[in-house]
Amino acid sequence: MEILFEDKSVIVCLKERGLLSQEGKEGEPTMLSLLSAHTGGEIYPVHRLDKEVGGVMVFAKTKKAAADLSSQVTDRTMEKEYITVAEGSPEEKEGTMEDLLFFDRSKNKSFTVKKERRGVKKASLSYRV
């Protein structure tokens, strides 16, 4: 695990593909367990990346930093940028894709849905090839 930045409140690191961001099965390594072992203290997740995705992640080392960073995620003042490698190419060289997402707590998974209803959030992705 590569640590890009660390101070008394925050740790920024590179998550490898195949590694869970947060809790997993007992004994399974996760970013939280690796960072906790590295720092010798508690680590608080601020956001997550799916297991299959690698990239830069921000974690808090204090409850106050976790609350402050989580507020930035919620009010969208923390900017996230995704770069991907894909097979094929969209016809348009840039654009926006929109969908409706529903998080099913019983399956701990998000699904696309066709209609707005309680618990459904709009998702928007701007892209440039």
Side-chain angles (χ1 to χ4, degrees):
M1 168 185 52
E2 183 180 349
I3 296 174
L4 305 173
F5 174 82
E6 182 176 4
D7 67 13
K8 65 180 182 172
S9 302
V10 174
I11 188 164
V12 179
C13 55
L14 194 57
K15 182 187 101 55
E16 295 179 18
R17 290 178 56 222
L19 187 62
L20 288 169
S21 299
Q22 299 178 29
E23 304 82 26
K25 296 176 186 166
E26 192 163 327
E28 184 177 14
T30 67
M31 289 300 295
L32 286 181
S33 64
L34 293 173
L35 290 170
S36 184
H38 167 78
T39 63
E42 202 157 359
I43 297 294
Y44 304 91
V46 175
H47 63 101
R48 67 177 196 83
L49 288 175
D50 290 342
K51 182 177 181 178
E52 300 80 16
V53 177
V56 176
M57 291 193 66
V58 178
F59 291 87
K61 294 168 72 176
T62 67
K63 287 183 179 182
K64 179 174 179 357
D68 291 345
L69 290 166
S70 293
S71 291
Q72 290 177 29
V73 171
T74 301
D75 64 20
R76 298 183 183 262
T77 55
M78 177 185 284
E79 188 175 315
K80 295 185 273 182
E81 185 174 308
Y82 298 90
I83 299 172
T84 188
V85 176
E87 187 174 321
S89 181
E91 288 182 23
E92 301 292 325
K93 293 298 177 196
E94 62 182 82
T96 301
M97 296 178 186
E98 295 179 336
D99 227 323
L100 299 173
L101 297 178
F102 176 73
F103 180 72
D104 185 333
R105 290 197 186 281
S106 65
K107 295 180 181 172
N108 195 30
K109 226 174 183 182
S110 292
F111 298 91
T112 57
V113 295
K114 303 233 183 262
K115 296 179 186 174
E116 286 192 53
R117 64 176 191 244
R118 188 172 170 200
V120 170
K121 293 183 178 181
K122 291 182 183 181
S124 178
L125 169 76
S126 296
Y127 69 92
R128 183 177 70 230
V129 178

